[in-house]
Amino acid sequence: MKKTAFITGASAGIGKALAEVFAQNGFNLVLTARREDRLRELQKSIQDKFDVKVYPLPADLHNVEAPHELFDSIQSKGLQIDALVNNAGYSLPGSFHNTAWKDQAEFIQVLITSVAQFCHLFLPGMIKSGYGRIINVSSLSGILPGSAGFTLYSGAKSFVNQLSQTLFLETEGTGVNVTAICPGYTYTEFHDVNGMRESVNRLPSYMWMDAATVANQGFEAVMKGVPLYVNGATNRFFALLPKLLPNKRVLRMVDKSKADVGQL
Ligand SMILES: NC(=O)c1ccc[n+]([C@@H]2O[C@H](COP(=O)([O-])OP(=O)(O)OC[C@H]3O[C@@H](n4cnc5c(N)ncnc54)[C@H](OP(=O)(O)O)[C@@H]3O)[C@@H](O)[C@H]2O)c1
C-alpha cells in the first residue's frame, strides 16, 4: 500500500518541489497552502506524471484552528499520514517595535506553533504504525545569529532546529525519522513576498540553490535519519562561522550582509 505525505506550503517554492519528490518516490500527497488554484494545478500535474493520489486541502495557517481542522479533515478521509513536511513560511520585514503585534503573532503561529502542533498531531499515528518521516524546513538563519529588521525569523528557525533535534532523540527506535533542513538563499517566491527581490538579485550565483535540489537533499536526509541537514557546501561553510569566530563579530557580519541583501 502507498504511503501518504502531508506537505504545508505546497503551492510554491520548496514545498512544491518537495511534493514532486515525494510523488516521484511513490507517496500519495495531502497538500495545503492558501492558494487553492495553485494546489489544484499541482494536483493535476503530479497525477498526470506519477501514479499517486493528490488531495488539496486549502487553509490559512494564520488561523489558530487550522492545524486541528486539517488533521480532522485528513482523518475523515481515512488517510494515515506517514510523512509530514512542515514547510510553510515567510519572513516579516520591519523593526520589532514598529510591527503590529497581530502580524508578529500570526508569524509565530505559522513558523512556530503550527510546526510543533503538526508534529504533535501526527507523531502518535506514526509511532503506532512504526514508520514516520518528518521534515521541518528551517533555514541557515536558524544557525546564524539574527539580524535587525527580521527580528523573529532566526529565532523561529532556531526553535525549529531544536524541536527537530529533540524529536529526533525522542523518536529513536520507533521507526520515525525527524530532520530539520537548513537551506540558504533558494530561488522561490520567498523574496518576492518579503519585498527583497531587487536586493537579493545582487548576490553572487554561488550563494543560490534551486528548490528541486534543496527538496531532493531534504528527502535523502530524512530517509537516512539525519537530524539537522544544511543544504549546500557554501551554506555549510557559513554555518561554521558561529563556532569559529567571536559572537559579536558574527553578529555584525550577518547583520551587515542581511541588511545589504535581505533575509534567507
Ligand atoms: N527561499 C529561501 O531563500 C529560503 C531560505 C531558507 C529557508 N526558507 C524556508 O523555506 C520554506 C518555504 O519557503 P519558500 O522559499 O519555498 O517560499 P515561497 O515560494 O514563498 O513559498 C512559501 C509557501 O508557504 C505558504 N504559506 C505562507 N504563508 C502561509 C499561511 N499563512 N498559510 C498557509 N500557507 C502559507 C505559501 O502558500 P500560500 O501563499 O498559497 O498560502 C507557499 O506555498 C519557508 O519555511 C522558508 O522560511 C526559504
Side-chain angles (χ1 to χ4, degrees):
M1 203 170 105
K2 281 193 165 54
K3 297 197 182 313
T4 302
F6 171 58
I7 303 177
T8 72
S11 62
I14 296 169
K16 185 177 174 190
L18 275 159
E20 297 263 353
V21 175
F22 273 92
Q24 205 175 348
N25 284 278
F27 283 73
N28 291 326
L29 303 173
V30 179
L31 305 178
T32 192
R34 288 165 299 184
R35 287 170 290 179
E36 186 171 0
D37 54 336
R38 294 277 199 103
L39 295 179
R40 294 213 172 271
E41 272 169 38
L42 186 59
Q43 174 191 34
K44 184 171 180 335
S45 83
I46 286 180
Q47 288 185 165
D48 286 349
K49 271 191 276 182
F50 307 107
D51 178 26
V52 298
K53 281 210 171 88
V54 181
Y55 305 88
L57 285 184
D60 185 348
L61 293 177
H62 286 149
N63 171 7
V64 296
E65 306 298 338
H68 221 292
E69 285 172 5
L70 283 162
F71 177 77
D72 289 345
S73 176
I74 289 167
Q75 297 281 96
S76 71
K77 291 185 189 317
L79 296 169
Q80 156 74 22
I81 295 303
D82 306 288
L84 162 67
V85 179
N86 274 308
N87 162 80
Y90 58 97
S91 73
L92 190 59
S95 67
F96 185 67
H97 69 285
N98 281 323
T99 303
W101 184 250
K102 179 179 182 291
D103 295 339
Q104 317 228 39
E106 285 180 346
F107 179 87
I108 290 168
Q109 182 62 34
V110 178
L111 278 275
I112 297 181
T113 310
S114 77
V115 173
Q117 195 176 357
F118 281 129
C119 290
H120 191 256
L121 286 165
F122 290 111
L123 256 173
M126 292 178 179
I127 291 170
K128 196 169 167 209
S129 76
Y131 180 94
R133 298 289 180 267
I134 298 179
I135 299 177
N136 291 326
V137 180
S138 179
S139 169
L140 179 58
S141 283
I143 296 171
L144 297 175
S147 58
F150 293 94
T151 326
L152 294 177
Y153 189 81
S154 296
K157 294 302 192 183
S158 301
F159 169 86
V160 171
N161 289 346
Q162 301 293 4
L163 171 74
S164 307
Q165 292 178 104
T166 310
L167 289 179
F168 167 88
L169 293 174
E170 286 183 20
T171 54
E172 268 180 324
T174 64
V176 176
N177 294 352
V178 183
T179 299
I181 65 165
C182 298
Y185 290 103
T186 309
Y187 294 114
T188 67
E189 295 174 10
F190 186 85
H191 297 99
D192 304 306
V193 176
N194 73 7
M196 304 302 293
R197 175 61 58 206
E198 212 181 303
S199 39
V200 292
N201 278 350
R202 296 200 301 265
L203 281 168
S205 58
Y206 68 81
M207 300 278 293
W208 287 93
M209 291 181 71
D210 62 81
T213 305
V214 168
N216 274 302
Q217 291 175 345
F219 184 85
E220 268 178 41
V222 80
M223 290 300 163
K224 280 187 198 152
V226 178
L228 185 90
Y229 181 82
V230 181
N231 299 84
T234 307
N235 297 322
R236 283 196 282 278
F237 168 75
F238 286 121
L240 284 177
L241 292 181
K243 292 182 181 150
L244 300 174
L245 298 173
N247 179 51
K248 209 164 174 182
R249 175 123 185 254
V250 185
L251 199 62
R252 294 273 172 238
M253 274 170 63
V254 171
D255 190 46
K256 180 170 179 344
S257 73
K258 288 190 185 161
D260 287 347
V261 294
Q263 189 57 264
L264 49 88

